[in-house]
PDB file of all heavy atoms in Angstrom:
ATOM      1  N   ARG A  10     -13.812 -24.331  12.945  1.00  0.00           N
ATOM      2  CA  ARG A  10     -13.253 -23.410  11.953  1.00  0.00           C
ATOM      3  C   ARG A  10     -14.005 -22.083  11.959  1.00  0.00           C
ATOM      4  O   ARG A  10     -13.398 -21.009  11.869  1.00  0.00           O
ATOM      5  CB  ARG A  10     -13.282 -24.040  10.552  1.00  0.00           C
ATOM      6  CG  ARG A  10     -12.258 -25.136  10.331  1.00  0.00           C
ATOM      7  CD  ARG A  10     -12.111 -25.465   8.843  1.00  0.00           C
ATOM      8  NE  ARG A  10     -13.340 -25.981   8.270  1.00  0.00           N
ATOM      9  CZ  ARG A  10     -13.666 -27.286   8.248  1.00  0.00           C
ATOM     10  NH1 ARG A  10     -12.843 -28.182   8.776  1.00  0.00           N
ATOM     11  NH2 ARG A  10     -14.790 -27.684   7.687  1.00  0.00           N
ATOM     12  N   VAL A  24      -2.880  -7.772  21.376  1.00  0.00           N
ATOM     13  CA  VAL A  24      -1.528  -7.882  21.943  1.00  0.00           C
ATOM     14  C   VAL A  24      -1.633  -8.128  23.442  1.00  0.00           C
ATOM     15  O   VAL A  24      -2.693  -7.923  24.045  1.00  0.00           O
ATOM     16  CB  VAL A  24      -0.710  -6.602  21.671  1.00  0.00           C
ATOM     17  CG1 VAL A  24      -0.497  -6.422  20.180  1.00  0.00           C
ATOM     18  CG2 VAL A  24      -1.399  -5.382  22.269  1.00  0.00           C
ATOM     19  N   CYS A  45      -3.052 -13.253  39.642  1.00  0.00           N
ATOM     20  CA  CYS A  45      -3.085 -11.793  39.746  1.00  0.00           C
ATOM     21  C   CYS A  45      -3.469 -11.218  38.378  1.00  0.00           C
ATOM     22  O   CYS A  45      -3.122 -11.800  37.348  1.00  0.00           O
ATOM     23  CB  CYS A  45      -1.720 -11.257  40.186  1.00  0.00           C
ATOM     24  SG  CYS A  45      -1.663  -9.471  40.426  1.00  0.00           S
ATOM     25  N   ARG A  49      -2.924  -5.143  37.667  1.00  0.00           N
ATOM     26  CA  ARG A  49      -2.199  -4.973  38.926  1.00  0.00           C
ATOM     27  C   ARG A  49      -0.706  -5.209  38.730  1.00  0.00           C
ATOM     28  O   ARG A  49       0.123  -4.499  39.302  1.00  0.00           O
ATOM     29  CB  ARG A  49      -2.756  -5.922  39.993  1.00  0.00           C
ATOM     30  CG  ARG A  49      -2.133  -5.727  41.379  1.00  0.00           C
ATOM     31  CD  ARG A  49      -2.770  -6.630  42.411  1.00  0.00           C
ATOM     32  NE  ARG A  49      -4.172  -6.296  42.609  1.00  0.00           N
ATOM     33  CZ  ARG A  49      -4.601  -5.345  43.432  1.00  0.00           C
ATOM     34  NH1 ARG A  49      -3.719  -4.617  44.109  1.00  0.00           N
ATOM     35  NH2 ARG A  49      -5.885  -5.132  43.582  1.00  0.00           N
ATOM     36  N   LEU A  68      19.326  -8.926  41.643  1.00  0.00           N
ATOM     37  CA  LEU A  68      20.165  -9.446  42.727  1.00  0.00           C
ATOM     38  C   LEU A  68      20.660  -8.310  43.617  1.00  0.00           C
ATOM     39  O   LEU A  68      20.739  -8.465  44.843  1.00  0.00           O
ATOM     40  CB  LEU A  68      21.343 -10.234  42.155  1.00  0.00           C
ATOM     41  CG  LEU A  68      20.987 -11.515  41.383  1.00  0.00           C
ATOM     42  CD1 LEU A  68      22.254 -12.233  40.945  1.00  0.00           C
ATOM     43  CD2 LEU A  68      20.129 -12.441  42.236  1.00  0.00           C
ATOM     44  N   VAL A 107      17.788 -14.066  28.753  1.00  0.00           N
ATOM     45  CA  VAL A 107      16.708 -15.043  28.846  1.00  0.00           C
ATOM     46  C   VAL A 107      16.787 -15.967  27.629  1.00  0.00           C
ATOM     47  O   VAL A 107      16.810 -15.484  26.495  1.00  0.00           O
ATOM     48  CB  VAL A 107      15.334 -14.346  28.887  1.00  0.00           C
ATOM     49  CG1 VAL A 107      14.207 -15.371  28.868  1.00  0.00           C
ATOM     50  CG2 VAL A 107      15.230 -13.448  30.116  1.00  0.00           C
ATOM     51  N   LEU A 117      13.687 -22.893  34.701  1.00  0.00           N
ATOM     52  CA  LEU A 117      13.828 -21.797  35.658  1.00  0.00           C
ATOM     53  C   LEU A 117      12.797 -21.926  36.775  1.00  0.00           C
ATOM     54  O   LEU A 117      11.660 -22.338  36.538  1.00  0.00           O
ATOM     55  CB  LEU A 117      13.659 -20.453  34.952  1.00  0.00           C
ATOM     56  CG  LEU A 117      14.677 -20.121  33.861  1.00  0.00           C
ATOM     57  CD1 LEU A 117      14.272 -18.832  33.141  1.00  0.00           C
ATOM     58  CD2 LEU A 117      16.074 -19.967  34.478  1.00  0.00           C
ATOM     59  N   ALA A 132       8.080 -12.801  23.429  1.00  0.00           N
ATOM     60  CA  ALA A 132       9.399 -12.167  23.387  1.00  0.00           C
ATOM     61  C   ALA A 132      10.218 -12.600  22.176  1.00  0.00           C
ATOM     62  O   ALA A 132      10.980 -11.803  21.631  1.00  0.00           O
ATOM     63  CB  ALA A 132      10.167 -12.479  24.675  1.00  0.00           C
ATOM     64  N   ALA A 199     -23.881 -10.236  24.063  1.00  0.00           N
ATOM     65  CA  ALA A 199     -22.953  -9.366  23.327  1.00  0.00           C
ATOM     66  C   ALA A 199     -21.883 -10.151  22.580  1.00  0.00           C
ATOM     67  O   ALA A 199     -20.971  -9.571  22.001  1.00  0.00           O
ATOM     68  CB  ALA A 199     -22.281  -8.387  24.304  1.00  0.00           C
TER      69      ALA A 199
END
Side-chain angles (χ1 to χ4, degrees):
R10 287 194 297 271
V24 296
C45 183
R49 185 177 296 275
L68 295 183
V107 175
L117 298 173

